[in-house]
Amino acid sequence: MSPPVAPPAWSRWLVPPAALSVHLSIGQAYAWSVFKPPLESSLNLSGTQSALPFQLAIVMLGLSAAFGGTLVERNGPRWAMTVALVCFSSGFLISALGAETKQFWLIVLGYGFVGGIGLGIGYISPVSTLIKWFPDRPGMATGIAIMGFGGGALIASPWSAQMLKSFGSDNTGIAQSFLVLGLSYAVFMTLGVLLVRVPRTEGPKGEDKDEAKDAANAPSVLSGVQVSANSAVRTPQFWCLWVVLCMNVTAGIGILEKAAPMITDFFADTSTPVTVSAAAGFVALLSAANMAGRIGWSSTSDLIGRKNIYRVYLGVGAVMYALIALFGDSSKPLFILCALVILSFYGGGFATVPAYLKDLFGTYQVGAIHGRLLTAWSLAGVLGPLIVNWIADHQKDAGKHGASLYNTSFIIMIGLLVIGFVANELVRPVNARHHIPAPREAADVERQQSESA
Amino acid sequence: MSNDSSQSPPDRRPLIAFAWLWVGAPLVYGLYELVLKAKQLFTG
């Protein structure tokens, strides 16, 4: 399949909703926990077992984004969105069959393996295209899409809970919910498949004033430094950014993973303890901060620069952790504020990284490079919860309680953020020996467009 | 020369509005549910 080239006067404002239709769908992954209790009771599973489909899905997200990135670049965003749609939706349909027949392995295979491939390919599918359409505001453009990934759970979580209430929480009710989700997401993602276009090399020509203004800003597809994905992974810049992303995500997950028990433990011995429902409200507020950070901080990076915004994420993030560790248990508003800021930086870090990659490596294979960088997320996804849970368990065994369960974790998080800060400082422009010669880029784009004509 | 002006490009604004509504409506629903839940932090 050739990349779908935009006809003349195609508006670039049609591309973000195309991206959002995919990211809002695959963001459902973060709402998996809604299905855990009913699965455990109806299929007689342990908590560890019921988490397996989600864990495999996240592993497959990292693997398919890393290894499928070059294919996505070669075949274009429509191919990638189609693959994401087919895998993600059929993952639900296979899981529905698994739930109905009480075959848990089918749910692991469907949601975890097949659906996970859809997550990875879907996650990177619009990134490169958005950056090419919005060379003047790449942070904002990728921020919109990646905000969708955060927003997906906000939609799927109450919707799935409502379906389980209507269909029942037994295996048949779960199967029906999976079926509805699979079919609905297939329809919803179709918009992205139909709308997405890659820009013409000469840029769109707007007829009216707005379009003309857009066109003036819009795509000069391959200008500046261009580095292939294979060359990029051999540069120190890629690995510095890998460390930056890994440290930033680890620090965010450190809070996100245990947010509800953390706020409860912090204020357990005070005159105003936190109730279970208030803790749930805190988790919801963190989700909002995560989402707002994705669009807000990423758009800000277009104004102040990518390196500066990561200085803020990592430097101010470390200060926020220090404030929680020192004064968090004495002031609830301070604890909440610091946690919200950290989570907004967590989201911002995810959303800004494609634009940072574009600044360093150009747009030539930015989607594939982004896919490879997401392996940092996979490691951080294991590292963050591991640090916080392991330390909290050991402190509890040692007879400690309250805020002291988490203080060691916070000090480790500060150390990790400092490592990330140093890695960001080490980022320099890529050496010219890694650049792709200009005629080759032009020839590649010409070939893609003539194939699609 | 003259056929350029007779072939004006289609107006994309209805399609843009539809596409943003398509993704915006479920997002607003999700945000509404989020606000309801987040309120528990102050009331619960």
Side-chain angles (χ1 to χ4, degrees):
Chain A
M1 190 186 282
S2 302
V5 179
W10 187 258
S11 171
R12 62 177 178 165
W13 291 103
L14 286 165
V15 185
L20 269 173
S21 74
V22 173
H23 272 242
L24 283 172
S25 302
I26 61 175
Q28 181 281 338
Y30 280 143
W32 174 253
S33 57
V34 175
F35 289 103
K36 276 175 61 84
L39 274 173
E40 285 162 24
S41 58
S42 62
L43 300 184
N44 202 21
L45 302 172
S46 68
T48 311
Q49 286 172 318
S50 68
L52 204 58
F54 170 76
Q55 286 169 333
L56 181 61
I58 296 298
V59 170
M60 291 310 298
L61 185 158
L63 291 176
S64 54
F67 293 107
T70 313
L71 274 176
V72 171
E73 290 294 343
R74 190 181 305 149
N75 296 321
R78 179 170 290 168
W79 174 87
M81 287 181 179
T82 307
V83 170
L85 183 158
V86 170
C87 289
F88 189 63
S89 296
S90 54
F92 273 112
L93 302 186
I94 296 168
S95 299
L97 183 67
E100 182 61 36
T101 57
K102 293 194 169 186
Q103 299 290 319
F104 181 58
W105 68 272
L106 273 176
I107 299 177
V108 177
L109 174 78
Y111 188 88
F113 187 81
V114 181
I117 295 171
L119 293 185
I121 300 296
Y123 193 92
I124 59 171
S125 62
V127 167
S128 170
T129 307
L130 280 166
I131 288 176
K132 286 170 186 164
W133 275 106
F134 291 86
D136 52 328
R137 280 178 280 183
M140 180 213 69
T142 55
I144 291 174
I146 292 171
M147 175 198 71
F149 195 76
L154 302 186
I155 300 164
S157 188
W159 181 32
S160 304
Q162 193 59 47
M163 277 194 288
L164 287 170
K165 213 168 153 186
S166 307
F167 298 141
S169 297
D170 59 350
N171 67 307
T172 306
I174 297 169
Q176 286 173 334
S177 304
F178 282 158
L179 188 66
V180 171
L181 285 170
L183 296 176
S184 305
Y185 282 130
V187 173
F188 193 70
M189 291 166 86
T190 301
L191 179 94
V193 173
L194 295 176
L195 275 188
V196 76
R197 301 281 191 282
V198 294
R200 305 171 74 81
T201 42
E202 72 273 24
K205 291 177 177 57
E207 288 297 318
D208 66 22
K209 222 197 290 181
D210 290 343
E211 289 286 331
K213 198 178 159 194
D214 266 2
N217 291 327
S220 53
V221 175
L222 289 172
S223 57
V225 169
Q226 303 298 336
V227 181
S228 72
N230 285 336
S231 297
V233 294
R234 295 195 193 100
T235 63
Q237 287 80 0
F238 176 86
W239 293 105
C240 283
L241 270 192
W242 195 95
V243 171
V244 164
L245 184 67
C246 188
M247 298 300 113
N248 193 52
V249 175
T250 304
I253 288 182
I255 290 237
L256 198 58
E257 160 72 10
K258 276 187 90 75
M262 196 180 281
I263 193 169
T264 312
D265 288 339
F266 253 77
F267 300 99
D269 302 330
T270 64
S271 56
T272 53
V274 175
T275 63
V276 173
S277 66
F282 174 61
V283 175
L285 214 55
L286 291 181
S287 303
N290 176 10
M291 219 176 114
R294 288 171 190 243
I295 180 73
W297 293 122
S298 192
S299 300
T300 309
S301 78
D302 290 334
L303 303 172
I304 68 169
R306 251 57 79 174
K307 197 165 187 169
N308 284 335
I309 202 84
Y310 275 93
R311 283 176 175 139
V312 174
Y313 297 158
L314 299 157
V316 179
V319 173
M320 292 293 128
Y321 261 117
L323 285 174
I324 292 183
L326 293 172
F327 312 111
D329 57 344
S330 59
S331 166
K332 210 185 287 179
L334 180 74
F335 177 90
I336 293 168
L337 185 71
C338 291
L340 291 178
V341 172
I342 290 169
L343 258 291
S344 77
F345 290 162
Y346 166 80
F350 270 123
T352 315
V353 88
Y356 208 163
L357 290 171
K358 178 251 176 195
D359 293 350
L360 289 168
F361 303 111
T363 53
Y364 177 54
Q365 289 194 327
V366 68
I369 301 169
H370 183 221
R372 284 162 206 198
L373 195 79
L374 290 179
T375 49
W377 180 6
S378 305
L379 180 67
V382 178
L383 208 58
L386 195 72
I387 293 170
V388 177
N389 287 314
W390 190 80
I391 290 174
D393 289 346
H394 275 73
Q395 300 287 56
K396 207 173 262 178
D397 291 345
K400 293 189 178 174
H401 58 89
S404 55
L405 292 175
Y406 304 99
N407 281 340
T408 312
S409 305
F410 292 162
I411 292 164
I412 292 173
M413 295 303 171
I414 292 168
L416 294 178
L417 286 168
V418 170
I419 293 171
F421 191 92
V422 173
N424 185 47
E425 291 305 310
L426 293 175
V427 173
R428 300 275 183 277
V430 176
N431 191 302
R433 72 191 156 93
H434 295 292
H435 297 179
I436 299 245
R440 184 170 148 196
E441 300 154 18
D444 278 358
V445 174
E446 288 265 319
R447 181 180 52 76
Q448 286 178 351
Q449 296 207 345
S450 61
E451 278 173 6
S452 66
Chain B
M1 293 272 284
S2 60
N3 61 350
D4 276 358
S5 55
S6 63
Q7 288 181 340
S8 61
D11 184 3
R12 308 279 184 202
R13 279 172 295 192
L15 183 59
I16 293 172
F18 171 77
W20 280 99
L21 196 65
W22 181 269
V23 292
L27 193 56
V28 168
Y29 160 73
L31 287 171
Y32 171 73
E33 292 285 341
L34 177 80
V35 170
L36 291 183
K37 210 170 173 188
K39 265 169 45 182
Q40 294 172 356
L41 176 62
F42 308 102
T43 59

